[in-house]
Amino acid sequence: MNRERLYLFDTTLRDGAQTNGVDFTLHDKRKIAQMLDDLGIDYVEGGYPGANPTDTEFFATDQGLEHATFTAFGMTRRPGRSASNDPGIALLLDAKADAICFVAKSSEYQVRVALETTNEENIASIRDSVAAAKAKGREVLVDCEHFFDGYKANPDFALACAKAAYESGARWVVLCDTNGGSMPDEVTEIVTEVVKHIPGDHLGIHAHNDTEQAVAVSFAAVRAGARQIQGTLNGLGERCGNANLCSMIPTLKLKKEFAERFEIGVSQDKLATLMKVSRALDDMLNRAPNPHAAYVGSSAFVTKTGIHASAVMKDPQTYEHVAPEAIGNHRKVLVSDQAGRSNVLAELSRTNIAFDKSDPKLGRLVEEMKEREAAGYAYESADASFDLLARRTLGKVPEYFRVEQFDVNVEQRYNSHGQRVTVAMAVVKVEVDGETLISAAEGNGPVNALDVALRKDLGKYQKYIEGLRLVDYRVRILNGGTEAVTRVLIESEDEDGQRWTTIGVSPNIIDASFQALMDSVVYKLVKSNAPV
């Protein structure tokens, strides 16, 4: 059975950046773009060249995406200017991007009030901008902003804007529910009319979540003929957010209505990484994941003890609409000791740790995980720390070295230029094979100083950690006040580019950081099969 191609367009790095409290660094943007490309997303909108220094630098180099079309976002030419004399158009054409997505008004009200220009000039702006980008060999998309509100007020003008984009050569004409107030049945009716003028395989949908219906609106547009969906990871976006790709992708892959009719760029294998992708974004933004998020939330497949839990233990399909493993999630049955054991066995099966299901040490591991998670540890975000906890409990981690003590000192003083500076220094005393080694180091803050000192001299193990480096450091406060418990997540990378995350929890941020640093070093030694 031939299936139609349905395209996914991610705007996490552009529209998602409008989320209150979200501020992507250049490193974040590069990492997220690669993550989306690996997932199988068709278009990755990187941002708005010229809008801020980060986006300008991001588009200054080719991102080397293997699958996705890297897309720059910007406005059509300004009223009263030619496309060749518009600085915004120039920045878009200079950007190292495969495609350009122009945003254009398609509401007569917005043209009159926001742009303060005429309908004719607005349509000419769309035509000129698309033509300029096409002349430079770029794939062109046009986001018809306020399309549904505009269509309801003046369908002829809204449709004229969309047709101007298509007739000028735009690959995609994207119908936007910019204010997020349209109902799914309205969208179905309007898109059904639009496809009479513009082929559905050139139409996209961009929905906002102001009525908690962005996903429903997106699917309504697809049912009516649109063949591109725009959205963001975890539903990030201005105000109430955008259509959530972490909800839509599994539905498109796993629900019969869509799975039998459409093909998307995300494979079954990549779908199984979706929870990890969702969690990675939250970790980068230092946001607590939404436990109740559809498909990827930690509670999405949780059942409390009782008749539901009893049924799930017999056959998961009794209370699960899809298999959690398909998205990279897993089921949990709360409270029950048997459920706790099942969860640990499921986690162990995802590692390379050999274990015997009858080993009584597994019971200790279950209890240890319960106690640690109650204290604030979150092992779903710290794969390497879980690996070590399991190995230690099962007696499979040698004591490569012992940290006898460490000291961290932070002082303010005047430098040689008379400037007041803060200096951090750490001293670490370790024992390796009966030999005591002491290392000291200064760093850019106490944690960096401690990291450098710890890895400065580990005797015979030094060669195994030479390529180890800390690439990310995140702190989350688990409760309020100056005595708050702190969770630290550290992401590390080795010389082969492999990455892992470790965790530490303590009322003392230095202690929490040290726990995570130690796990990172020990995990590298285990991974390298370092001899005892």
Side-chain angles (χ1 to χ4, degrees):
M1 181 178 179
N2 291 329
R3 294 181 295 166
E4 289 186 72
R5 187 67 160 87
L6 186 63
Y7 294 84
L8 301 177
F9 183 107
D10 181 275
T11 181
T12 301
L13 299 177
R14 201 274 302 172
D15 227 354
Q18 302 301 310
T19 308
N20 186 29
V22 168
D23 186 18
F24 294 118
T25 66
L26 183 61
H27 173 72
D28 291 339
K29 288 209 163 202
R30 287 173 174 161
K31 186 173 178 181
I32 293 167
Q34 293 293 333
M35 192 165 64
L36 291 165
D37 184 45
D38 183 64
L39 181 62
I41 299 299
D42 298 296
Y43 293 82
V44 173
E45 189 172 56
Y48 192 157
N52 58 69
T54 299
D55 281 8
T56 300
E57 187 173 357
F58 190 36
F59 282 99
T61 55
D62 185 351
Q63 296 306 309
L65 304 185
E66 295 183 6
H67 172 83
T69 299
F70 190 48
T71 307
F73 174 89
M75 294 177 63
T76 53
R77 69 160 176 81
R78 299 176 188 175
R81 283 180 179 255
S82 65
S84 61
N85 193 35
D86 190 297
I89 299 285
L91 286 169
L92 287 171
L93 296 178
D94 287 341
K96 298 292 192 297
D98 308 304
I100 293 172
C101 182
F102 290 108
V103 59
K105 301 293 185 188
S106 56
S107 159
E108 186 177 37
Y109 169 76
Q110 295 288 337
V111 169
R112 184 179 73 254
V113 175
L115 289 185
E116 298 182 329
T117 190
T118 65
N119 292 354
E120 294 74 20
E121 175 67 4
N122 185 71
I123 291 175
S125 174
I126 294 172
R127 293 187 184 280
D128 294 347
S129 302
V130 173
K134 288 282 291 181
K136 292 292 185 179
R138 304 298 177 85
E139 182 175 338
V140 182
L141 303 88
V142 175
D143 279 357
C144 291
E145 192 180 32
H146 299 284
F147 181 83
F148 293 98
D149 291 337
Y151 189 96
K152 283 178 270 189
N154 184 340
D156 291 339
F157 177 69
L159 191 56
C161 293
K163 289 173 67 177
Y166 174 65
E167 291 167 358
S168 300
R171 169 65 182 89
W172 292 103
V173 179
V174 183
L175 311 181
C176 302
D177 185 31
T178 308
N179 290 354
S182 295
M183 298 293 104
D185 61 320
E186 292 178 316
V187 169
T188 298
E189 181 181 346
I190 293 171
V191 174
T192 299
E193 288 300 314
V194 175
V195 295
K196 295 175 182 177
H197 304 271
I198 300 172
D201 59 2
H202 286 267
L203 282 179
I205 178 70
H206 178 110
H208 284 259
N209 204 36
D210 297 74
T211 64
E212 199 66 42
Q213 296 185 94
V215 169
V217 162
S218 299
F219 289 150
V222 170
R223 291 186 181 105
R227 293 297 176 260
Q228 185 197 86
I229 299 179
Q230 296 198 357
T232 59
L233 291 178
N234 295 339
L236 290 183
E238 192 173 18
R239 302 185 313 273
C240 304
N242 287 44
N244 189 350
L245 285 172
C246 293
S247 302
M248 294 191 290
I249 290 171
T251 298
L252 293 169
K253 291 290 291 183
L254 302 175
K255 296 302 180 180
K256 184 177 180 179
E257 175 192 358
F258 297 108
E260 290 188 350
R261 186 177 174 189
F262 299 110
E263 179 184 356
I264 63 173
V266 179
S267 67
Q268 291 296 139
D269 288 343
K270 293 303 180 182
L271 178 64
T273 70
L274 187 62
M275 181 179 176
K276 185 177 180 181
V277 169
S278 168
R279 202 60 58 86
L281 178 66
D282 282 330
D283 286 343
M284 259 184 268
L285 297 175
N286 202 20
R287 290 159 57 105
N290 176 9
H292 305 293
Y295 294 106
V296 296
S298 59
S299 296
F301 299 94
V302 166
T303 308
K304 281 196 173 183
T305 51
I307 58 172
H308 289 195
S310 175
V312 167
M313 297 300 289
K314 294 173 184 176
D315 185 348
Q317 293 186 54
T318 53
Y319 286 95
E320 291 177 355
H321 67 111
V322 297
E325 294 80 10
I327 310 103
N329 208 333
H330 53 276
R331 72 182 54 90
K332 291 182 183 178
V333 180
L334 301 180
V335 180
S336 161
D337 289 337
Q338 177 62 37
R341 183 182 178 88
S342 298
N343 292 336
V344 169
L345 290 176
E347 293 290 342
L348 284 173
S349 67
R350 285 190 280 273
T351 69
N352 294 320
I353 303 172
F355 65 94
D356 182 350
K357 290 183 179 180
S358 62
D359 190 340
K361 292 177 183 177
L362 287 175
R364 292 209 300 271
L365 179 56
V366 171
E367 294 306 314
E368 181 76 10
M369 280 196 68
K370 285 182 179 179
E371 291 175 8
R372 284 176 167 260
E373 289 184 343
Y377 289 84
Y379 287 104
E380 67 269 18
S381 300
D383 50 350
S385 285
F386 171 77
D387 186 289
L388 291 178
L389 175 64
R391 290 178 187 273
R392 288 182 180 119
T393 307
L394 299 175
K396 297 180 180 179
V397 177
E399 187 178 44
Y400 297 105
F401 61 94
R402 176 182 297 170
V403 176
E404 298 291 343
Q405 68 180 79
F406 70 83
D407 177 70
V408 180
N409 180 54
V410 179
E411 66 171 315
Q412 280 198 339
R413 63 188 185 213
Y414 289 98
N415 62 17
S416 58
H417 301 289
Q419 299 168 321
R420 193 169 181 82
V421 295
T422 301
V423 179
M425 179 182 221
V427 179
V428 178
K429 181 179 179 182
V430 299
E431 181 184 313
V432 182
D433 270 357
E435 180 184 5
T436 298
L437 303 170
I438 300 175
S439 299
E442 288 188 347
N444 182 22
V447 176
N448 178 241
L450 191 56
D451 176 38
V452 175
L454 176 63
R455 294 189 290 111
K456 197 169 188 178
D457 186 4
L458 283 182
K460 68 178 185 179
Y461 298 115
Q462 190 63 29
K463 63 182 179 180
Y464 295 99
I465 63 168
E466 289 291 349
L468 176 64
R469 68 188 188 98
L470 187 156
V471 294
D472 201 6
Y473 174 82
R474 302 182 294 276
V475 177
R476 181 170 298 149
I477 305 302
L478 301 183
N479 49 29
T482 56
E483 297 180 355
V485 173
T486 302
R487 177 192 295 159
V488 169
L489 289 167
I490 287 178
E491 186 178 4
S492 304
E493 184 179 63
D494 65 11
E495 60 275 10
D496 297 323
Q498 295 184 3
R499 294 190 175 196
W500 58 90
T501 304
T502 52
I503 191 170
V505 174
S506 173
N508 186 315
I509 190 172
I510 301 299
D511 181 42
S513 302
F514 187 70
Q515 292 175 36
L517 288 170
M518 277 288 290
D519 271 6
S520 176
V521 172
V522 174
Y523 183 76
K524 177 65 168 72
L525 295 176
V526 170
K527 199 165 74 75
S528 302
N529 294 314
V532 180

